[in-house]
Amino acid sequence: MNDWLHTTITSWYAANQRELPWRDPGTTAWGVLVSEVMSQQTPVGRVAPLWTQWMERWPTPTDFAAANTADVLRAWDRLGYPRRALRLHECAQAVVDRHDGEVPSDLDELLALPGIGTYTASAVAVFAYGKRHPVVDTNVRRVVARYAGGEPDAGMATTRRDLTATEALLPTDAATAAIVSIGLMELGATLCAARKVDCGECPLKPRCKFHATGAELPDRPSRKTQRYHGTTRYVRGQIMALLRANDTPVPRVAIDGVWHEDARRAEALAGLITDGLVDALDGDLFVLAGADGD
DNA sequence: TACACGTGGCA
DNA sequence: TTGCCAAGTGT
């Protein structure tokens, strides 16, 4: 009963998809996995150039598993959330240890890997291996909420409900379902964004409940955000940037320069050490984790 | 369930 | 300019 949706999305995506390096037909499952992890909470346009360099440097899980952690964190550069780089490194090691260096295609095996949650596991199974699963990210949740629910935004992320609602829209055929999923994501990332809709260009307009009811976006943001400057997260970022820029151990007094509040700075540094992103050396010196080789 | 977790572009 | 927002995951 959703045939119209499937053919509409499929043809729209074929004609309008953005050029992204990991969409090249020759991309490996590992390449897909890396692109998905890098894209977590990060605009894909910022990911693309880094992904290309990354895959040239570490083409396979085995290559990457052997990399030094400090090199990984430097290569991650300012992509954000450096813990993702750590998880990706652990993920490569798990792929080598548990799967003989081959990215698994089974959803549960993917889910068991470090840094791989519901979304990423589905995305790899579907986009790299052609499996049939609903792939539900923030874009899909929003587009489905608007198209099928007539609501301006998706509600709270409740995995089960999201999977059910998306599942109901997908075709039986795995290959087509994959294109519908990537098409919904693309639509949400381009024409049907959180704060800006372009119904005039949208192929789903004729049957979209949200458009039918006026497509009015609320003035209020759909989710709460917090101030960033001066937060622990901000100070962590400043410390990481300082350590990335230095090949030699950095004395505490240098770190003291990144933020004026002692307590905040201490909290940030302690957190980075706890998270395995920073190593403390004798003499009150600090380095990127694994800077001496893992 | 709710919060922590980086960074930079855009309106 | 300030603040929203981005292919989420782990706790």
Side-chain angles (χ1 to χ4, degrees), chain A residues 113-272:
Chain A
L113 297 171
I116 308 299
T118 309
Y119 163 76
T120 306
S122 307
V124 172
V126 171
F127 303 143
Y129 291 113
K131 299 268 189 168
R132 188 185 177 287
H133 299 291
V135 181
V136 182
D137 74 333
T138 187
N139 291 308
V140 173
R141 292 180 60 241
R142 184 176 55 251
V143 172
V144 171
R146 288 176 179 170
Y147 173 79
E151 297 161 30
D153 287 293
M156 217 170 352
T158 59
T159 303
R160 182 204 298 273
R161 191 191 61 204
D162 293 336
L163 291 176
T164 305
T166 305
E167 169 68 43
L169 295 178
L170 294 181
T172 311
D173 175 63
T176 311
I179 297 174
V180 170
S181 287
I182 193 70
L184 288 171
M185 288 173 65
E186 192 79 349
L187 221 35
T190 57
L191 303 180
C192 197
R195 307 279 286 174
K196 186 177 187 298
V197 295
D198 189 358
C199 296
E201 294 296 317
C202 184
L204 301 187
K205 181 172 66 173
R207 299 195 183 185
C208 177
K209 282 193 182 177
F210 185 52
H211 177 260
T213 54
E216 289 292 327
L217 256 33
D219 293 335
R220 289 292 185 185
S222 56
R223 75 185 190 203
K224 64 179 176 182
T225 60
Q226 59 178 4
R227 188 164 46 253
Y228 177 59
H229 188 76
T231 60
T232 301
R233 198 187 314 189
Y234 167 82
V235 178
R236 284 169 60 110
Q238 297 299 112
I239 295 172
M240 286 299 289
L242 179 64
L243 297 186
R244 277 198 307 269
N246 284 273
D247 287 329
T248 56
V250 173
R252 186 184 292 274
V253 289
I255 292 177
D256 287 348
V258 308
W259 187 249
H260 61 282
E261 295 173 296
D262 294 347
R264 179 74 68 183
R265 218 170 48 236
E267 181 191 4
L269 184 56
L272 291 171

